[in-house]
Amino acid sequence: KQQEELSIEALVSSLREGNRKALAQSITLVESKAHHHRQKAQELVQGILPYTGSSIRIGITGVPGAGKSTWIEAFGKLLIKQQMKIAVLAIDPSSSLSGGSILGDKTRMEQLSHHPDVFVRPSPAAGTLGGVHRMTRETILLCEAAGYDVIIVETVGVGQSEGMVRGMVDFFLLLALTGGGDDLQGMKRGILELVDAIVINKADGDNRDKALTARGDYRGLLHYLKPATPGWNPSAYAASAFTGEGIEEVWNVINRFVKETKESGAFENRRSSQALDWMEQMIMDRLYEEFIQKEGRKDQLAILKEEVLRGKLLPTEAAAKLFS
Amino acid sequence: KQQEELSIEALVSSLREGNRKALAQSITLVESKAHHHRQKAQELVQGILPYTGSSIRIGITGVPGAGKSTWIEAFGKLLIKQQMKIAVLAIDPSSSLSGGSILGDKTRMEQLSHHPDVFVRPSPAAGTLGGVHRMTRETILLCEAAGYDVIIVETVGVGQSEGMVRGMVDFFLLLALTGGGDDLQGMKRGILELVDAIVINKADGDNRDKALTARGDYRGLLHYLKPATPGWNPSAYAASAFTGEGIEEVWNVINRFVKETKESGAFENRRSSQALDWMEQMIMDRLYEEFIQKEGRKDQLAILKEEVLRGKLLPTEAAAKLFS
């Protein structure tokens, strides 16, 4: 026990010095499913908690093909020039960070990831949604303790993960293409009402005019929707990871967002409610886990669901049977 | 016990004969919080389950002032003419059915409610969201067993109730005004991505042209969003509860929706997943209720939340403490 506590302490101080190896080890610990690792991981994250919270947390989503990895690379390079340290995390196994190697994306992201001020981490190996959620949130805290100024959380946005990402970042950005609403058809319902900005990517060459038209369309569309962040009117921008046009504008928008929401209190309010939501999610996950682990429970649940589906049993009655 | 079972049996057969008094009594039973009533209510709803499912369940939402009660009245009158029996239920205490009396709405709805083929029921007295959810779902089943062909569930759509209503109806309709997106600002985020149709109300007199323009705007807007029902492209319509224009068109749209989604299987798929969602919701409610009822739990939770908010305690750690 003494030794374990020492090693956690050593990890905390290495982390705070910005040691990349310590950061990678810490994340591996946080992602481990072994029970004794879990306990150690909790100790570690609790230990670094006082040194967290000062980064800007940015979520980036977009359909596959929207050019997320090249865009993040261009955006990252700009931040590095401004002496910032950035961490890029992926939340789902199909994101460009983790799965993009097939399309050659990995090479591009590796170029960025070799820079000393950049830390790139693919998504944790498959787990429950709640598990990935927890791991990513804890990883954000670890990166903050290690001195990263901007944390980018990338998601493909086709599953249930955007709501999760929205729940852990300050600023949520959608990368879209010029196809107008058509390229959103694959996205989760309600995505537009989660975003703080839409960036039309690939606004270069022959595509530039179309991107500017799409920007106008999206601006009109956003007018109809309730803003995701109180007091902040989301808008659409055009940018090109290839020419670099518009990248700095997006960074300026993010900085203005942070300044305005910190002044209005919306920034802190969101962080607070995110922490409470996380806690509640952990409680519900734990309750369900304990419930479903009971001998024979899964089989019973499957049978009862079948009866509900066949219209033989009322859903409330089926639920009641599980508790009797 | 014998006597209770008899009275449930009597209630079931009175219900099936379409007896209004039996229906009102049954709903009161379903809404009762007394434990022995709850058991009886479960028996009753389980007993009528084989005679349910054949109605068209329609959800109607819209901001206060959108004219929900007058619109429902005009719509209801059309259905009555076609020899249908309709039930109108409200889901939140601030809906026009329950709270509208201040604005004189009650008188108008009472006119409709006195028709022998119409059953109007205001929302259950305040309870938890989950409780109101259960009561309304059970009330829908009771109305179906009593032979109602169309069940309308009304909600004001400013809180968390639209998601709930979307989860219990086949067709979800948003009543909007000519203010374009502006009158949606008060609605819950993501509302447009839940709807199967938008009806611009008050399309009469000087307002008619504006309503037709708004209809065009909304049609453009809907093109960008992922449809709520697979295979069904939601559209916008203009209607007037005052002149009656457009009301029949909406009814035709609903009938086309039912026909097409029954053919594609989307209708049954939704009903099945609604039943499973309901069951899961009941399980989670029950787990949380048992958890929170434990001696001292609420105080402990409040203290831990405070520590999480002050940044002293990790949300996962706080959750873990509740289980140790």
Side-chain angles (χ1 to χ4, degrees):
Chain A
K1 180 103 173 56
Q2 183 69 17
Q3 213 181 348
E4 262 191 22
E5 266 168 29
L6 265 178
S7 80
I8 290 288
E9 249 174 60
L11 215 44
V12 169
S13 58
S14 288
L15 258 184
R16 293 196 58 203
E17 286 160 13
N19 184 305
R20 292 171 73 96
K21 211 175 150 193
L23 179 56
Q25 275 177 352
S26 300
I27 297 175
T28 303
L29 184 63
V30 151
E31 290 177 357
S32 167
K33 280 178 189 117
H35 186 68
H36 63 289
H37 283 160
R38 193 77 279 280
Q39 239 169 318
K40 239 180 127 172
Q42 282 290 106
E43 248 180 88
L44 170 64
V45 185
Q46 181 67 40
I48 52 104
L49 198 56
Y51 317 112
T52 62
S54 56
S55 83
I56 302 175
R57 303 167 184 169
I58 302 170
I60 296 187
T61 190
V63 288
K68 284 188 296 299
S69 63
T70 42
W71 197 87
I72 290 172
E73 179 151 274
F75 184 66
K77 280 180 180 167
L78 172 74
L79 300 194
I80 294 165
K81 265 191 225 152
Q82 304 193 6
Q83 266 70 49
M84 306 230 186
K85 286 180 71 181
I86 70 163
V88 188
L89 316 173
I91 202 151
D92 24 33
S94 43
S95 73
S96 69
L97 283 185
S98 310
S101 57
I102 306 156
L103 303 163
D105 281 344
K106 201 178 168 188
T107 324
R108 288 199 295 276
M109 288 304 282
E110 267 182 359
Q111 192 186 324
L112 184 68
S113 74
H114 284 139
H115 193 283
D117 290 338
V118 180
F119 183 83
V120 174
R121 182 84 181 189
S123 78
T128 63
L129 205 63
V132 174
H133 185 191
R134 178 190 56 70
M135 291 168 200
T136 307
R137 296 203 68 151
E138 292 182 352
T139 300
I140 289 174
L141 298 178
L142 293 171
C143 292
E144 288 180 341
Y148 288 85
D149 304 294
V150 173
I151 321 276
I152 294 171
V153 182
E154 187 211 331
T155 174
V156 285
V158 290
Q160 296 184 275
S161 50
E162 320 72 27
M164 256 166 68
V165 174
R166 170 76 274 186
M168 59 177 78
V169 298
D170 306 312
F171 189 91
F172 195 44
L173 186 155
L174 170 68
L175 268 195
L177 290 170
T178 52
D182 292 334
D183 74 301
L184 290 182
Q185 295 294 315
M187 302 283 295
K188 206 201 164 201
R189 212 168 289 146
I191 187 77
L192 288 178
E193 281 151 310
L194 296 177
V195 304
D196 295 308
I198 297 175
V199 175
I200 322 298
N201 197 16
K202 304 187 182 176
D204 42 46
D206 290 351
N207 209 39
R208 195 171 174 275
D209 282 351
K210 275 196 261 174
L212 296 181
T213 306
R215 180 181 67 180
D217 289 349
Y218 275 113
R219 283 186 179 171
L221 185 61
L222 285 169
H223 173 69
Y224 281 85
L225 306 175
K226 192 174 176 178
T229 307
W232 174 260
N233 287 319
S235 189
Y237 307 90
S240 164
F242 185 65
T243 67
E245 191 185 338
I247 305 280
E248 191 160 2
E249 184 185 9
V250 174
W251 178 228
N252 292 340
V253 167
I254 294 174
N255 278 310
R256 186 162 54 82
F257 172 91
V258 172
K259 186 174 176 289
E260 289 181 13
T261 54
K262 280 194 173 170
E263 280 168 7
S264 74
F267 189 93
E268 266 310 301
N269 284 345
R270 167 173 280 143
R271 288 247 174 130
S272 293
S273 68
Q274 284 177 341
L276 288 187
D277 286 350
W278 183 9
M279 178 177 168
E280 271 158 30
Q281 188 58 50
M282 290 297 120
I283 294 173
M284 294 316 286
D285 284 359
R286 178 77 174 258
L287 286 171
Y288 190 72
E289 200 184 302
E290 282 182 5
F291 170 78
I292 205 67
Q293 292 306 331
K294 294 240 173 72
E295 181 69 30
R297 194 49 71 67
K298 277 177 192 161
D299 293 342
Q300 193 193 6
L301 188 64
I303 291 165
L304 289 169
K305 278 187 175 177
E306 191 53 41
E307 286 187 57
V308 166
L309 281 179
R310 295 215 324 277
K312 300 281 174 205
L313 196 63
L314 198 62
T316 40
E317 187 78 5
K321 276 181 193 290
L322 286 161
F323 290 88
S324 61
Chain B
K1 180 105 175 55
Q2 184 69 16
Q3 213 181 349
E4 263 192 21
E5 266 167 29
L6 264 178
S7 80
I8 289 288
E9 251 175 58
L11 215 44
V12 170
S13 60
S14 288
L15 258 184
R16 295 197 55 203
E17 286 160 12
N19 184 306
R20 293 171 73 94
K21 212 176 150 192
L23 179 56
Q25 275 178 352
S26 300
I27 297 175
T28 302
L29 184 63
V30 151
E31 291 177 357
S32 168
K33 280 177 190 118
H35 186 70
H36 63 288
H37 282 159
R38 191 79 279 278
Q39 239 170 320
K40 239 179 125 171
Q42 280 292 105
E43 249 181 89
L44 170 64
V45 185
Q46 182 66 39
I48 52 105
L49 199 55
Y51 317 113
T52 63
S54 56
S55 83
I56 302 175
R57 303 166 183 170
I58 302 170
I60 295 186
T61 190
V63 287
K68 285 187 297 298
S69 63
T70 42
W71 197 87
I72 291 171
E73 178 151 275
F75 184 67
K77 279 179 179 166
L78 172 75
L79 301 194
I80 294 165
K81 264 191 224 150
Q82 303 192 7
Q83 265 72 48
M84 307 232 186
K85 286 180 72 180
I86 70 162
V88 187
L89 315 174
I91 202 151
D92 25 32
S94 44
S95 72
S96 70
L97 283 184
S98 310
S101 56
I102 306 154
L103 302 163
D105 281 346
K106 201 180 168 186
T107 325
R108 289 201 295 276
M109 289 305 282
E110 266 182 0
Q111 192 187 323
L112 184 69
S113 74
H114 284 140
H115 193 283
D117 290 338
V118 180
F119 183 83
V120 174
R121 182 84 181 190
S123 78
T128 62
L129 204 66
V132 173
H133 185 191
R134 179 191 56 69
M135 291 169 199
T136 307
R137 296 203 68 151
E138 292 183 353
T139 300
I140 289 173
L141 298 177
L142 292 171
C143 292
E144 289 181 342
Y148 289 85
D149 304 293
V150 173
I151 321 275
I152 294 171
V153 182
E154 187 210 333
T155 175
V156 285
V158 289
Q160 296 184 275
S161 49
E162 322 70 28
M164 256 167 68
V165 174
R166 170 74 276 185
M168 59 177 78
V169 298
D170 306 313
F171 189 92
F172 194 44
L173 185 155
L174 170 68
L175 267 194
L177 290 171
T178 51
D182 294 332
D183 73 300
L184 291 182
Q185 295 293 316
M187 301 283 295
K188 205 197 164 201
R189 211 167 291 145
I191 187 78
L192 288 178
E193 281 152 307
L194 296 177
V195 303
D196 295 308
I198 297 175
V199 175
I200 322 296
N201 197 17
K202 305 189 182 176
D204 43 44
D206 290 350
N207 208 40
R208 195 172 174 276
D209 283 349
K210 275 196 262 176
L212 295 181
T213 305
R215 179 181 68 181
D217 290 347
Y218 276 113
R219 283 183 179 173
L221 186 60
L222 286 168
H223 172 70
Y224 280 84
L225 306 176
K226 191 173 176 179
T229 306
W232 174 259
N233 287 318
S235 189
Y237 307 89
S240 164
F242 185 65
T243 67
E245 190 184 339
I247 305 280
E248 191 159 2
E249 184 185 11
V250 174
W251 178 228
N252 292 338
V253 167
I254 295 173
N255 279 310
R256 185 161 56 81
F257 172 92
V258 172
K259 186 174 176 288
E260 289 181 13
T261 55
K262 281 194 173 171
E263 280 167 8
S264 73
F267 189 92
E268 266 311 300
N269 283 345
R270 166 172 279 142
R271 288 243 175 135
S272 293
S273 68
Q274 284 177 341
L276 289 187
D277 286 348
W278 183 8
M279 178 176 167
E280 271 157 29
Q281 187 58 50
M282 291 295 120
I283 293 173
M284 294 316 287
D285 284 358
R286 178 76 173 257
L287 286 172
Y288 190 73
E289 200 184 302
E290 283 182 5
F291 169 78
I292 204 67
Q293 290 306 328
K294 294 239 171 74
E295 181 69 29
R297 195 47 71 68
K298 278 175 191 161
D299 294 340
Q300 193 193 3
L301 188 64
I303 291 165
L304 289 170
K305 278 188 175 177
E306 191 53 39
E307 286 187 56
V308 166
L309 281 179
R310 294 215 324 277
K312 301 282 174 201
L313 196 63
L314 197 65
T316 40
E317 187 76 7
K321 276 181 192 289
L322 285 161
F323 289 88
S324 62

